[in-house]
Amino acid sequence: MSRLLLNKRFALSGLLLLVLVLPLITSNAYMIRILILTFIWTIAVYGLNLLAGYTGYLSLAHAGFFALGAYTLAILTVTVGLSYWLAFILTLVFTSIVGALIGMIALRTREHFFAIYTLCVGYIIYLIIYNWEGMTGGVRGFIGIPSPGSIGPLEFNSQISNYYLVLFFLVLTIVVIYRIVHSLQGRTFMAIRNSEDLAKTIGISTTKNKLIAFILSTFFAGLAGALFASFTRFIGPEISNITMTFDFLVYLLIGGIGTLSGPVIGTFIIVWISQELQFLQDYRMLVFGPILVILIIFAPRGISGFIIDWNLKRKAKKQQIESMKDMENNQEVKEG
Amino acid sequence: MLLETVNLTKKFGGLTAVDDVSFSVEKGKINAIIGPNGAGKSTFFNLVSGYYPPTSGQVFFKGEEITRLPSNKIARLGIARTFQTTNLFERATVLDNIIVGNRLRTQSNLWDAILRTPRLKREEQKCLDKAYEVLDFVNLTNHAHSVVENLTQEEKKRVAFALALATEPELVFLDEPAAGVNPDETEGLAELMKKMVDHGITVCLIEHKMQMIMSIAENIMVLNFGKKIAEGTPEDIMNDEEVIKAYLGGERHAEVK
Amino acid sequence: MDIFFQQLFNGLTIGSVYSLVALGLTLVYGILHIPNFAHGALYMMGGYITLTMMQTLGLYYWLAIFVSIVVVGLIGVLMERLVFHHLRHAPPIHDKIAAIGMLLFLEAFAHRVWGADYLEMATPHGQVVSVFGITFTLQRLIIIVAAVLVMFTLYLFLKKTYMGMTVIAMSQNRAGANLVGVNTNKVAMLTFFISGALAAIAASLSSPINLVFPGMGHLVILKAFVIIIIGGMGSIPGAIVGGYILGFTESLGATYISSDYKDIIAFILLVLILTIRPNGLFAKGGQS
Ligand SMILES: Nc1ncnc2c1ncn2[C@@H]1O[C@H](COP(=O)(O)OP(=O)(O)OP(=O)(O)O)[C@@H](O)[C@H]1O
Ligand SMILES: [Mg+2]
């Protein structure tokens, strides 16, 4: 047990070290760019995971909230002219508030009603962004979004500094999510996922806790969106499209829904495969669509869940063998 | 008198599942509700535990009206329940299922979780201690780390009991706790219920196993077609004509055993 | 006033298409309790297959539609057999994700095979007709009439044939139907076939006045969901009436409110309904 934990720590530190020094050992700007985008998407997927994976509510408006974060930042910095970090914080507050308002209503519905409701909310956000040209730039998109402003001596004009900034937020996200999941709050979410009725009868306010999960998920979507806007500096309505939500879902499902490492694993693997399969481009869903279906039937908790289950089984077997050995020993003692 | 219902009624469309039922759960005793299938017993539980609101009538707990409170608030007041079909999280361990049972007696929130405050750590320990305490109570300590789906039916029932007890209730409602459990094990579950009462927890159960009911219950209510047709001690009930008719079958109820 | 009647007529045309799509969706929902997000992909496939039959094999419009009905119906059956059947006992989140997976696949497939372009479908019924001051192409009239015919046929099938009655029986009570000897597997496949067929008909009828492209199913399926929530999930009359209501609302809304935002009408309607009645318009009482 402790050895496993140690191994895990070791592997994690190694991984972190690797991503930390990566920009220093490679000068491949394209690769760094892809990595930054991957980090951003991972943050968004963590938000989705908290709601869909840990609380059991499949939201199909996630890209909408991602876009909400991106456009809010764009509007606050460019149109309103606020300083970057003030706009950044306001963006997070704003997406959370919108999330709270929508969540309050959406969460009165359940299961497929919730999925359809959020699907429609996502679509409304898309249509608004698409049609409200004066504010969002419509189809042409929104250009000239500033890079993150400097904090004291830290400036974020170069790609590498952006890399570290986004990485910082990713690590922060993971730490926060880890702490939430491994706390009474996380157990509360999971109790709701497992059975809302049972959760209620053991005194859990499902209304309140579902709302917390929903707001958290929009918060992380908004955070990712804001980072995306200031990194790419140009955004278009397609980031709020349902296909974007589906992309997030694919990352989450393949990595492992309801697992802590799922979002990282899924996003990295899929983005990486997509890069390798460049020739597939628009047809990548030809591959990922069926994978999604097969996974949900045979390994519903994705790669990460598969590994966890496999480990559990191995452990159980080991225990069995050990207890058998114990019995044999006891017998020997008796016989001897 | 710990809990009291006054003219409690629940209609589902044209069907009156619970019809004008007034009943008192007596403190410190084992109370029972019996009746043929579809008599409205589970619905009665659902009403008093706030699972859904009654069409009319009232529910009082320790003299305070709780009629339209949501079930989570009712749980907080000290009323716990189990479901007819155990809906535990089958793929998690017993301990993981139970720990969250004491959540309603804790204060820590999202910020405590994110900041890992001492309060959170203290309360997590409290929940864990509580979980071991109730597992010990129901004799399942050795199964703490077993996955629920690998347990026997009777063990699952015990886990459901433990979860209910983890909420620190004064009153527990048990919906058919001995269904699908063999006679020997039924005996064990009956002992467990007596043990709860000995520890100051009032019990109210639904059961079809007459023998068990008659031997442990002190106060019984009989429902038939949603109506209360009798109430009293086991002797009263066994000698009640209407009950005999409902169970042994007058003309209409021939198909009910 | 003329504009008003013209828009009413247009609403009837759009409504016919919506009704057909919503019918297929509601049938599947009624029987298997699956919100089939991939239904829009069936619609899209219906459009492409009819178009391909006409263009590459040179089939006559109505013959091409027939082929499309069979093919898309079979795709529906495959969906049921290969995917949904295995998820009968899975948590509710799973079938939705599987449906999304199939949707993504079919769209990418269409993209790959037919490209991303917006294609036109020629109709032999392009004549312009003018009655009572309303001007329209014959195709629009055909959409309306054909939709009514299809609904009527479906009605006869469900009410008058044994097979149809088993479908109804199962939608009312799956376990009960199983008990009285209905082969639930067969009924499930049949339902998916009908659902696919209806989608193919709807797409083939509407394509000449719209266009054929990989994303053509998106809006339609979303609106079909709105319709069946308005009409009651699983309700057949609800889907038909809901379809026409939405058709009218949209075409009048486009004229009198804003054509940019006409697609939003449906979603705002839905959001409003679910806000007020979280379990749908016709949910039975009971659980809060
Ligand atoms: N949510 C509901 N909606 C509609 N009818 C319901 C609902 N719940 C219960 N009923 C009906 O109310 C009646 C009473 O059901 P209930 O479950 O309370 O019976 P019961 O006494 O617990 O029976 P059993 O011994 O079989 O558990 C039954 O006819 C049942 O079909
Ligand atoms: Mg019952």
Side-chain angles (χ1 to χ4, degrees):
Chain A
M1 181 71 191
S2 64
R3 215 175 68 203
L4 204 82
L5 215 68
L6 219 66
N7 274 341
K8 227 178 179 175
R9 282 252 166 94
F10 192 68
L12 274 178
S13 322
L15 212 63
L16 191 61
L17 200 68
L18 182 70
V19 288
L20 275 175
V21 300
L22 205 70
L24 308 177
I25 51 180
T26 174
S27 53
N28 185 340
Y30 180 73
M31 187 171 120
I32 299 291
R33 183 185 159 78
I34 295 295
L35 273 175
I36 295 175
L37 287 174
T38 311
F39 293 164
I40 291 174
W41 287 322
T42 308
I43 294 174
V45 176
Y46 267 110
L48 189 61
N49 194 23
L50 208 51
L51 185 61
Y54 286 100
T55 320
Y57 274 74
L58 179 63
S59 166
L60 297 177
H62 209 62
F65 290 111
F66 178 84
L68 193 66
Y71 274 95
T72 308
L73 184 88
I75 291 166
L76 288 181
T77 49
V78 177
T79 318
V80 181
L82 295 182
S83 75
Y84 181 85
W85 289 106
L86 179 62
F88 188 82
I89 290 167
L90 285 180
T91 298
L92 298 182
V93 173
F94 181 70
T95 37
S96 305
I97 290 175
V98 174
L101 293 178
I102 292 178
M104 260 189 270
I105 301 163
L107 288 165
R108 286 158 38 109
T109 65
R110 277 199 197 192
E111 292 183 6
H112 14 269
F113 285 113
F114 181 80
I116 295 168
Y117 191 98
T118 48
L119 189 68
C120 290
V121 168
Y123 218 87
I124 291 175
I125 296 178
Y126 170 73
L127 287 176
I128 290 176
I129 292 176
Y130 192 94
N131 286 312
W132 196 2
E133 279 209 49
M135 196 55 130
T136 63
V139 224
R140 286 175 293 112
F142 201 116
I143 31 177
I145 304 159
S147 291
S150 52
I151 308 176
L154 297 173
E155 288 184 15
F156 301 101
N157 297 323
S158 66
Q159 197 190 33
I160 293 193
S161 56
N162 264 289
Y163 176 91
Y164 285 113
L165 181 73
V166 174
L167 180 61
F168 165 78
F169 278 110
L170 174 62
V171 172
L172 195 67
T173 301
I174 295 178
V175 170
V176 167
I177 299 263
Y178 176 88
R179 289 187 162 188
I180 292 174
V181 169
H182 288 275
S183 73
L184 285 174
Q185 186 62 54
R187 286 183 184 278
T188 311
F189 290 153
M190 287 182 260
I192 292 172
R193 175 191 65 192
N194 300 333
S195 164
E196 216 168 317
D197 292 335
L198 188 64
K200 261 191 187 163
T201 58
I202 56 172
I204 290 171
S205 167
T206 50
T207 321
K208 184 177 115 196
N209 285 289
K210 279 172 354 186
L211 190 60
I212 293 175
F214 195 91
I215 295 174
L216 281 169
S217 100
T218 56
F219 173 86
F220 286 112
L223 171 64
L227 291 171
F228 180 83
S230 49
F231 171 62
T232 58
R233 313 193 54 184
F234 163 79
I235 49 178
E238 72 284 346
I239 58 167
S240 63
N241 202 323
I242 184 74
T243 44
M244 190 80 176
T245 299
F246 289 161
D247 275 334
F248 290 147
L249 257 185
V250 170
Y251 300 156
L252 178 58
L253 256 294
I254 290 179
I257 187 169
T259 64
L260 260 173
S261 49
V264 181
I265 295 178
T267 313
F268 273 77
I269 288 184
I270 302 305
V271 173
W272 177 66
I273 293 179
S274 304
Q275 290 304 313
E276 292 298 308
L277 303 179
Q278 277 289 342
F279 63 94
L280 272 177
Q281 282 184 33
D282 292 335
Y283 317 128
R284 64 189 193 288
M285 289 302 173
L286 227 40
V287 180
F288 296 137
I291 289 182
L292 205 60
V293 175
I294 291 168
L295 269 179
I296 205 72
I297 295 176
F298 297 105
R301 293 206 307 146
I303 297 172
S304 186
F306 188 80
I307 295 172
I308 292 171
D309 288 348
W310 183 74
N311 252 330
L312 277 179
K313 260 187 211 148
R314 218 185 42 174
K315 237 194 262 164
K317 229 183 218 164
K318 230 188 202 165
Q319 257 175 9
Q320 221 174 13
I321 293 171
E322 260 161 30
S323 67
M324 254 153 64
K325 265 190 202 151
D326 280 354
M327 263 162 40
E328 273 167 27
N329 285 344
N330 286 344
Q331 257 171 7
E332 271 166 32
V333 171
K334 268 183 210 158
E335 279 163 15
Chain B
M1 201 183 315
L2 192 57
L3 180 129
E4 190 182 6
T5 70
V6 181
N7 304 117
L8 205 58
T9 300
K10 178 72 185 178
K11 291 188 177 139
F12 292 115
L15 176 90
T16 309
V18 170
D19 196 352
D20 204 25
V21 173
S22 300
F23 176 61
S24 313
V25 173
E26 291 176 25
K27 192 172 161 79
K29 290 186 179 168
I30 295 185
N31 301 262
I33 299 174
I34 60 172
N37 288 106
K41 306 179 296 292
S42 297
T43 307
F44 181 79
F45 268 26
N46 288 339
L47 293 177
V48 292
S49 61
Y51 188 65
Y52 31 59
T55 312
S56 63
Q58 290 160 298
V59 185
F60 295 92
F61 181 60
K62 296 199 283 191
E64 214 178 300
E65 178 159 6
I66 58 164
T67 313
R68 275 165 209 283
L69 286 186
S71 48
N72 57 305
K73 291 221 170 109
I74 291 182
R76 250 172 243 193
L77 291 177
I79 300 179
R81 72 168 292 185
T82 64
F83 287 91
Q84 190 163 350
T85 48
T86 55
N87 50 3
L88 300 163
F89 185 35
E90 297 268 332
R91 292 189 38 221
T93 64
V94 171
L95 197 61
D96 278 335
N97 266 280
I98 306 291
I99 287 179
V100 74
N102 200 239
R103 170 71 170 136
L104 78 173
R105 307 286 172 216
T106 61
Q107 248 81 63
S108 58
N109 55 30
L110 185 66
W111 303 116
D112 293 284
I114 294 173
L115 303 173
R116 283 271 130 133
T117 59
R119 173 164 82 169
L120 178 82
K121 287 181 189 154
R122 198 172 58 238
E123 290 186 342
E124 277 179 345
Q125 190 57 44
K126 174 173 173 282
C127 287
L128 189 67
D129 293 344
K130 190 76 200 175
Y132 276 115
E133 181 193 322
V134 293
L135 280 178
D136 183 52
F137 190 92
V138 302
N139 277 330
L140 274 181
T141 312
N142 54 336
H143 274 305
H145 297 285
S146 305
V147 176
V148 171
E149 64 185 350
N150 300 332
L151 299 182
T152 66
Q153 186 63 23
E154 187 252 0
E155 284 162 346
K156 284 184 193 172
K157 296 276 185 186
R158 283 175 187 269
V159 179
F161 279 22
L163 181 56
L165 292 175
T167 64
E168 302 176 7
E170 279 180 61
L171 169 60
V172 288
F173 285 101
L174 308 170
D175 198 343
E176 302 202 17
V181 165
N182 73 36
D184 283 352
E185 294 170 339
T186 304
E187 196 69 23
L189 291 177
E191 287 308 315
L192 196 52
M193 284 180 246
K194 286 184 195 156
K195 188 171 160 190
M196 288 184 200
V197 172
D198 290 342
H199 282 73
I201 300 166
T202 304
V203 173
C204 180
L205 76 156
I206 290 175
E207 206 30 271
H208 282 294
K209 297 188 171 169
M210 279 308 149
Q211 234 184 336
M212 168 184 181
I213 290 289
M214 293 304 167
S215 68
I216 64 169
E218 295 164 81
N219 178 35
I220 301 177
M221 165 167 80
V222 187
L223 287 181
N224 194 22
F225 290 108
K227 284 202 173 65
K228 179 170 94 173
I229 57 170
E231 181 178 356
T233 61
E235 292 79 51
D236 296 342
I237 299 298
M238 272 191 284
N239 299 322
D240 189 291
E241 236 163 74
E242 213 173 331
V243 175
I244 295 170
K245 225 165 72 185
Y247 268 87
L248 300 180
E251 337 55 68
R252 289 189 303 150
H253 323 306
E255 76 277 15
V256 182
K257 63 174 182 243
Chain C
M1 212 53 199
D2 276 358
I3 288 192
F4 179 76
F5 283 113
Q6 181 81 47
Q7 287 311 321
L8 222 50
F9 181 80
N10 286 346
L12 199 58
T13 325
I14 310 170
S16 303
V17 176
Y18 289 161
S19 291
L20 288 179
V21 179
L23 257 179
L25 199 60
T26 215
L27 272 176
V28 165
Y29 185 83
I31 291 195
L32 301 164
H33 289 269
I34 300 167
N36 186 7
F37 287 109
H39 193 69
L42 292 179
Y43 176 85
M44 179 257 327
M45 291 300 288
Y48 273 114
I49 289 168
T50 305
L51 187 66
T52 310
M53 287 300 129
M54 289 169 75
Q55 287 183 342
T56 53
L57 294 188
L59 290 189
Y60 184 62
Y61 181 55
W62 293 101
L63 201 58
I65 293 185
F66 178 77
V67 175
S68 181
I69 289 173
V70 174
V71 174
V72 178
L74 289 178
I75 297 177
V77 173
L78 275 181
M79 274 186 183
E80 201 280 327
R81 276 297 91 183
L82 295 181
V83 181
F84 290 123
H85 184 73
H86 300 282
L87 292 170
R88 279 164 307 167
H89 308 297
I93 220 173
H94 289 193
D95 46 31
K96 290 192 273 285
I97 288 169
I100 290 171
M102 288 185 285
L103 164 78
L104 296 174
F105 169 76
L106 286 173
E107 263 181 38
F109 177 82
H111 199 171
R112 182 74 243 253
V113 176
W114 292 293
D117 295 339
Y118 288 56
L119 306 176
E120 270 180 50
M121 186 189 282
T123 162
H125 312 292
Q127 306 88 325
V128 177
V129 186
S130 193
V131 193
F132 306 126
I134 308 174
T135 316
F136 50 86
T137 56
L138 191 57
Q139 178 70 24
R140 283 182 179 268
L141 190 65
I142 285 176
I143 292 176
I144 296 169
V145 176
V148 171
L149 281 179
V150 168
M151 289 174 203
F152 187 66
T153 315
L154 186 70
Y155 171 83
L156 287 184
F157 173 76
L158 291 176
K159 289 283 163 169
K160 303 286 174 203
T161 66
Y162 176 73
M163 264 211 290
M165 284 190 274
T166 57
V167 172
I168 298 286
M170 197 168 134
S171 75
Q172 275 155 6
N173 182 347
R174 183 171 186 136
N178 220 337
L179 284 180
V180 298
V182 171
N183 182 339
T184 49
N185 277 337
K186 250 193 202 158
V187 175
M189 285 195 280
L190 179 67
T191 309
F192 262 93
F193 185 88
I194 297 175
S195 161
L198 288 168
I201 296 172
S204 311
L205 286 174
S206 74
S207 291
I209 60 167
N210 296 319
L211 290 164
V212 182
F213 56 99
M216 68 189 267
H218 285 178
L219 267 180
V220 176
I221 175 71
L222 278 169
K223 288 175 185 171
F225 269 121
V226 175
I227 292 164
I228 68 171
I229 285 176
I230 295 174
M233 303 278 275
S235 156
I236 293 172
I240 296 175
V241 175
Y244 286 117
I245 290 180
L246 186 62
F248 288 132
T249 319
E250 270 188 23
S251 75
L252 293 178
T255 324
Y256 296 108
I257 304 173
S258 151
S259 70
D260 276 352
Y261 287 96
K262 88 171 184 336
D263 287 331
I264 275 190
I265 293 173
F267 308 119
I268 291 189
L269 209 61
L270 178 94
V271 167
L272 281 180
I273 288 171
L274 283 184
T275 304
I276 299 161
R277 305 226 31 178
N279 297 318
L281 213 46
F282 295 103
K284 296 185 188 81
Q287 268 164 266
S288 52

